[in-house]
Structures are given as C-alpha cells and as structure tokens.
Amino acid sequence: MSITEADDEQFMKMVDEMVMSADNDSELAEGLKWIDMQARKNGVTFYEMALIILKKHVAERRAKEWLKARTA
C-alpha cells in the first residue's frame, strides 16, 4: 500500500484535530506529551511518532485477533 501526499495531509489533519481536542481531555494531553517526548528521543517528527505508535497498535490488535481465531 503506497502512501500518497493526500494521505499524509489527511493523517496530519487528524492528528492536529486530536491535539486541539486535548485542551478538554487531560488524559489525551498527557498521551500527546508522551508522544512528543518519544519523537524527540528518537529524532523523528511528532507526526512520524504518532504514525509509528498507530501502526504498532494496529499490528498488536491484528495479532491478538489472529491468535484468538487460531485457538478458537
């Protein structure tokens, strides 16, 4: 699957909206601060770190679903 510039812009817009909504959600704000710290630590942008975390979350969820299906 190739990522297009439009996909990049859509993802960045989604992240920006999430950042804006963190004003009313202290737990979300703390999570975003953690993402920012990880981005700085790893020398990547905030958006790149958010994407890395999202991909990891999706992969873990799919692995759990696969394992559940195999053991059922």
Side-chain angles (χ1 to χ4, degrees):
M1 171 177 20
S2 72
I3 304 286
T4 66
E5 192 172 320
D7 291 333
D8 284 347
E9 289 179 19
Q10 186 177 7
F11 178 75
M12 291 171 69
K13 182 178 178 184
M14 180 188 71
V15 171
D16 289 344
E17 289 172 359
M18 188 170 50
V19 169
M20 296 300 287
S21 67
D23 288 342
N24 303 319
D25 186 336
S26 60
E27 188 174 347
L28 177 57
E30 285 300 313
L32 295 173
K33 287 178 187 175
W34 181 83
I35 292 172
D36 188 47
M37 287 188 311
Q38 295 301 311
R40 292 170 192 263
K41 178 180 165 184
N42 291 295
V44 298
T45 69
F46 179 83
Y47 296 105
E48 290 169 322
M49 195 71 227
L51 184 58
I52 290 166
I53 292 167
L54 179 60
K55 285 182 175 183
K56 180 179 177 187
H57 174 75
V58 169
E60 288 174 354
R61 188 190 78 225
R62 286 181 179 168
K64 286 178 185 177
E65 289 172 356
W66 177 84
L67 184 59
K68 185 178 178 181
R70 295 254 312 156
T71 58

